[in-house]
Amino acid sequence: MRAVGFASAHVLEAATLPILALSLWAVALADGAARPVLWLASTAVFCALLALRLAADCSFPAAPAHMALPPGLRILIAIGAAFLAGLGLQLVPLPPPLAALAPLPLELPATARPVSLTPSATALGILRGAGALALFCLVAQLACCPRAARRLAWLIVLGVAGHALLALAALQMPGEGVLWSANSAYPGFATGGFVNRNAFAAHMGLGMNLALALALADARRRPPEALLLVSLAGAMLAALAASGSRMGLVSSLVGAGVVLFFARPRRSLARRRGAQHPLRVALPGVLALGLVAFLAGRALPDRLLATPAALEERLLLWRQSLRLISERPWTGFGWDGFAAAFELYHRPELSPARVWDFPHATYLTLWCEAGLIWGSLPLLAGLLAGARLVAGLGGAAAPANPMAVAALAALVQAALHAAADFSFEIDANLLLLLALIALGLGRAEARRCGALARKECDDG
């Protein structure tokens, strides 16, 4: 019986990686998991897989050591769980004496009502968040094994690069940039499997910077792999530029700068190995930039010139969103309830012909829907994750961990992009971002205190 249990644990371990990779590919290709049936299916897969792995770890402690949660990540997981628990409180009806905590611009009977204006949407949002947290835990577990972490990183790169090539091919087809339907919103721009070009650009940027981090780490040990990775990064950069997303391009290039800064050779290593990376790794990058300039044509420059007009409308939206925060600074209006709340405070100077589902700034979304205190918990988790990554990359004794470099670049990219858009509120991008952060932190934890994991797995 014990032998069967060990065999089952190893089968579960072997199945986790391809299931995660396939899930991340599928949600990105299928409208960015914007449809409820898609994110519900991915949530069920992630939660069931995590429950099975934790059960196996409790029943067979001697099974693969990297099935346990890394100790250093428990504070981040606890913050995520606390955030979801706080959102759950928005579903609890407030008695009339506490109704002043959740005011409305309407005269309503003095009856108990929940904080959330859309309780059903809030409940579904909590469920979706539980799936994202489960994915983070699963990838953090896998990342404790160097071989599994590297394989998952490669599968992510291949998936995003394949998505980029499909999107570029779709530009030459009647759909004009969308894989599965007509591109009515952004004709002539690449959006791939996404509905929104900015979300597609953010996805491409995450994959591109992961490929760059892996390429720079492999430049000397595995030159052919490094050449392939840089070529794939060039394809993702070309698709990003073809999307015409201004903030997507800027934030992704800033992320690439983070990769180049932290992945550079340390001084002590540079004296032993030489300060420059091989020319054959740098040359494809130069060629890729030329390809981007060719593909972008006039579309992206024209959009950059139109930035001031777009910014004026965006500032109006942000100003009216700030009014929502001032009305309910502590409770918010309920998770996934911005659209319903904004209708109550919408002023005519902002076009009434459009439906404003998002404030086009993730920070404002968090504070409008969850309040200033609870809505800042994800930001706190991001700051803690970034601090741990920077601390792990600060040493000069060994080459930089490419997973940690890519995770830090993803955090910086998301932090910048989230200031002016909602792309990282799209499930496919949120899941990929969490997967990259978990890969980076999991590998850092394994290096810091995981000699046990290295006994189980050979470094890939």
Side-chain angles (χ1 to χ4, degrees), residues 203-259:
H203 201 76
M204 292 297 106
L206 292 175
M208 177 188 74
N209 290 329
L210 175 60
L212 285 177
L214 292 172
L216 293 175
D218 288 346
R220 297 183 182 279
R221 293 185 301 162
R222 304 180 180 93
E225 291 186 16
L227 281 169
L228 175 60
L229 285 163
V230 172
S231 301
L232 294 176
M236 289 180 264
L237 183 57
L240 195 163
S243 73
S245 172
R246 295 163 294 200
M247 201 63 186
L249 180 64
V250 170
S251 61
S252 297
L253 291 180
V254 171
V258 171
V259 171

Side-chain angles (χ1 to χ4, degrees), residues 384-406:
L384 290 176
R388 292 187 74 87
L389 289 168
V390 171
L393 293 170
N401 171 13
M403 312 296 179
V405 172

Side-chain angles (χ1 to χ4, degrees), residues 89-103 109-115:
L89 294 177
Q90 295 181 324
L91 302 175
V92 178
L94 289 177
L98 297 179
L101 293 174
T111 58
R113 51 184 170 82
V115 167

Side-chain angles (χ1 to χ4, degrees), residues 54-305:
L54 292 177
D57 184 58
C58 294
S59 302
F60 305 98
H66 46 284
M67 292 179 77
L69 288 171
L73 300 188
R74 289 174 186 168
I75 179 62
L76 297 177
I77 296 169
I79 291 175
F83 177 68
L84 294 178
L87 298 182
L89 294 177
Q90 295 181 324
L91 302 175
V92 178
L94 289 177
L98 297 179
L101 293 174
L104 286 172
L106 305 171
E107 292 294 333
L108 296 176
T111 58
R113 51 184 170 82
V115 167
S116 176
L117 297 185
T118 54
S120 58
T122 298
L124 291 175
I126 295 170
L127 184 61
R128 194 170 67 249
L133 187 60
L135 172 72
F136 182 86
C137 296
L138 286 167
V139 178
Q141 289 177 331
L142 276 180
C144 292
C145 174
R147 180 182 298 171
R150 182 175 177 81
R151 286 176 179 171
L152 181 57
W154 261 94
L155 288 173
I156 290 173
V157 168
L158 292 174
V160 180
H163 195 162
L165 294 174
L166 286 173
L168 292 173
L171 279 176
Q172 313 305 319
M173 299 177 184
E176 293 189 339
V178 174
L179 292 177
W180 318 123
S181 60
N183 190 350
S184 58
Y186 306 106
F189 293 97
T191 60
F194 288 80
V195 175
N196 183 276
R197 63 182 167 198
N198 296 305
F200 172 73
H203 201 76
M204 292 297 106
L206 292 175
M208 177 188 74
N209 290 329
L210 175 60
L212 285 177
L214 292 172
L216 293 175
D218 288 346
R220 297 183 182 279
R221 293 185 301 162
R222 304 180 180 93
E225 291 186 16
L227 281 169
L228 175 60
L229 285 163
V230 172
S231 301
L232 294 176
M236 289 180 264
L237 183 57
L240 195 163
S243 73
S245 172
R246 295 163 294 200
M247 201 63 186
L249 180 64
V250 170
S251 61
S252 297
L253 291 180
V254 171
V258 171
V259 171
L260 294 174
F261 179 81
F262 282 97
R264 73 192 191 284
R266 304 295 197 268
R267 291 184 180 179
S268 58
L269 294 173
R271 284 194 290 268
R272 294 199 304 265
R273 303 180 182 179
Q276 294 183 347
H277 289 289
L279 179 61
R280 56 190 165 198
V281 173
L283 184 59
V286 176
L287 296 176
L289 289 175
L291 178 63
V292 168
F294 172 76
L295 287 172
R298 291 179 53 84
L300 191 56
D302 287 348
R303 292 208 74 225
L304 291 172
L305 291 175

